Amino acid sequence: MSRPGTPMLRLAFLVPAGLAMLAGLNAALLLLGVPAPVQAPAWADLHGILMVGGFLGTLICLERAVALRQAWAFCAPALLGVGALLLLTPLPALLGQLFLVEGVIGFIAIYLALWRRNHDDVVLVQLLGAVHLLIPLTLWIWLPLPWIMPWLVGFLVLTIGAERVELARLAMPATGGRTLVLAATALTLTITATLPWPAWGARATGLVLGLFVIWLVRHDLARTLVRSSGLPRFSAAALLAGYAWLLVAAAAWLVAGDQRSGALYDLVVHSVMLGFAISMVMAHAPIILPAVLRRPLPYRAVMWAPLALLHAGLVVRVAAGDLAGITAAWRAGSVVNVIALLLFVGVAATSSLLGPRARPEPAPRARATRAQVSRPAPPDPTSSIPRSDS
């Protein structure tokens, strides 16, 4: 019998996340008023929870469970995935909601166990990010989604932001961990303020979020790697585009304050959830998924196609749809976003099944002539540099 840590069972834990994503995209099409594969009007109201809690939450939780290497930790992504799927059934919605809440409690327990290992500031902030997921999923039992949306934003920003700090430690100052904790604390306070004081809480959140993004970009290695080639350039471009959309959301909150409906609400939600979070998923997928499934996900140039479609569709949705008020453009850009995400999943699956790309064989060396052999070699310009193997 396979243990929870084996690649096959890890893949099984990804199935509910994938189904939640597909259901969430189906719900998006229902919200847009365009033909959807499954005509289930009740799913439309579940779009945000399915994508953030069911898809991204399960995906991130599974990655953390793999990092912990404890069998009990895999209960958390299982509960999250099953909870999302239960919401799609005729059973009472409360059952799925309770499964989601229990899954996030397990998620927090995973972070607590990881934090006890080395008391790392990065893990502490990610733990706080999981708390940001627990609060809205609990409040969702009583409150509508727009009231809890800032907490879902906090979950994604703190989790992904801390991950970027962890990967950029060499470029960070010695006080980087402390700055991260202070930024996370400030963001938590402003998001909390959006409940009693929606207008000023949202503006304060926009300000803190904007400053946090600027600090992250300043120290992120993506600024350098975007000038390279291959996978580093692809990942860096996806990261920088994600940061740009997060700044758009921060600016909208800072200028307009609290928005719980209408065009600016749509702008903020999808700038964060699509422009930032999904772009970050695309950037990290060739690195994270092999670590989870122990199967390579080689970079291929075709990966640029879904990334470009994602951001092009979002530009149309936000600029021509939300800001200019052109409904047809808003709908068209949104459909392109759905296609982009499905295309990336297809490209990633195909790339993984095909395996690593074959490397070109080195050209055969020319056979040295007798004169070349007898000729003394020129002095090595690096001979004065100490070698690590000497």
Side-chain angles (χ1 to χ4, degrees), residues 137-232:
L137 290 181
T138 304
L139 292 177
W140 185 51
I141 298 174
W142 300 281
L143 295 177
L145 184 62
W147 284 80
I148 62 173
M149 188 268 291
W151 292 98
L152 298 177
V153 172
F155 161 63
L156 294 172
V157 170
L158 294 184
T159 302
I160 298 173
E163 181 78 13
R164 294 310 306 163
V165 170
E166 184 175 21
L167 294 174
R169 287 188 189 274
L170 294 178
M172 283 281 173
T175 58
R178 188 185 311 165
T179 303
L180 175 66
V181 171
L182 291 175
T185 303
L187 191 62
T188 301
L189 293 174
T190 59
I191 289 176
T192 304
T194 61
L195 287 175
W197 305 291
W200 290 108
R203 286 191 169 90
T205 299
L207 177 61
V208 172
L209 186 58
L211 294 174
F212 185 37
V213 175
I214 292 170
W215 179 75
L216 285 173
V217 172
R218 180 183 175 188
H219 298 290
D220 202 305
L221 297 174
R223 294 172 58 199
T224 302
L225 293 177
V226 76
R227 295 190 290 271
S228 60
S229 60
L231 176 59

Side-chain angles (χ1 to χ4, degrees), residues 45-353:
D45 295 333
L46 301 174
H47 169 62
I49 295 297
L50 289 172
M51 294 302 294
V52 179
F55 172 48
L56 294 174
T58 303
L59 198 63
I60 297 169
C61 186
L62 177 60
E63 190 269 334
R64 294 288 83 189
V66 171
L68 184 60
R69 299 179 182 176
Q70 297 289 332
W72 64 264
F74 290 87
C75 294
L79 286 168
L80 282 168
V82 171
L85 297 183
L86 284 173
L87 295 174
L88 305 174
T89 69
L91 295 171
L94 182 61
L95 181 62
Q97 290 171 323
L98 292 178
F99 264 74
L100 288 172
V101 170
E102 290 170 357
V104 182
I105 291 173
F107 195 4
I108 293 171
I110 292 173
Y111 276 127
L112 282 171
L114 289 170
W115 184 74
R116 290 193 191 101
R117 287 182 176 179
N118 52 15
H119 294 80
D120 191 350
D121 291 334
V122 166
V123 178
L124 180 63
V125 170
Q126 290 176 328
L127 191 159
L128 183 59
V131 173
H132 278 245
L133 183 59
L134 175 63
I135 291 172
L137 290 181
T138 304
L139 292 177
W140 185 51
I141 298 174
W142 300 281
L143 295 177
L145 184 62
W147 284 80
I148 62 173
M149 188 268 291
W151 292 98
L152 298 177
V153 172
F155 161 63
L156 294 172
V157 170
L158 294 184
T159 302
I160 298 173
E163 181 78 13
R164 294 310 306 163
V165 170
E166 184 175 21
L167 294 174
R169 287 188 189 274
L170 294 178
M172 283 281 173
T175 58
R178 188 185 311 165
T179 303
L180 175 66
V181 171
L182 291 175
T185 303
L187 191 62
T188 301
L189 293 174
T190 59
I191 289 176
T192 304
T194 61
L195 287 175
W197 305 291
W200 290 108
R203 286 191 169 90
T205 299
L207 177 61
V208 172
L209 186 58
L211 294 174
F212 185 37
V213 175
I214 292 170
W215 179 75
L216 285 173
V217 172
R218 180 183 175 188
H219 298 290
D220 202 305
L221 297 174
R223 294 172 58 199
T224 302
L225 293 177
V226 76
R227 295 190 290 271
S228 60
S229 60
L231 176 59
R233 185 176 188 179
F234 169 80
S235 296
L239 291 167
L240 294 175
Y243 286 136
W245 282 112
L246 197 54
L247 275 177
V248 169
W253 258 337
L254 181 61
V255 173
D258 177 57
Q259 297 291 332
R260 292 179 181 168
S261 62
L264 284 180
Y265 175 80
D266 184 83
L267 184 153
V268 170
V269 169
H270 292 94
S271 293
V272 176
M273 308 304 178
L274 284 175
F276 173 67
I278 298 300
S279 190
M280 292 291 179
V281 169
M282 291 183 177
H284 291 105
I287 304 167
I288 299 298
L289 287 183
V292 172
L293 299 179
R294 294 182 183 174
R295 181 171 182 84
L297 177 54
Y299 162 78
R300 286 178 168 84
V302 70
M303 289 181 176
W304 284 94
L307 179 65
L309 276 178
L310 175 74
H311 293 289
L314 194 53
V315 167
V316 172
R317 176 177 187 149
V318 169
D322 292 328
L323 298 180
I326 304 174
T327 303
W330 171 78
R331 187 173 287 118
S334 304
V335 171
V336 169
N337 290 149
V338 173
I339 294 172
L341 188 49
L342 291 174
L343 180 60
F344 183 77
V345 172
V347 167
T350 303
S351 181
S352 181
L353 290 174

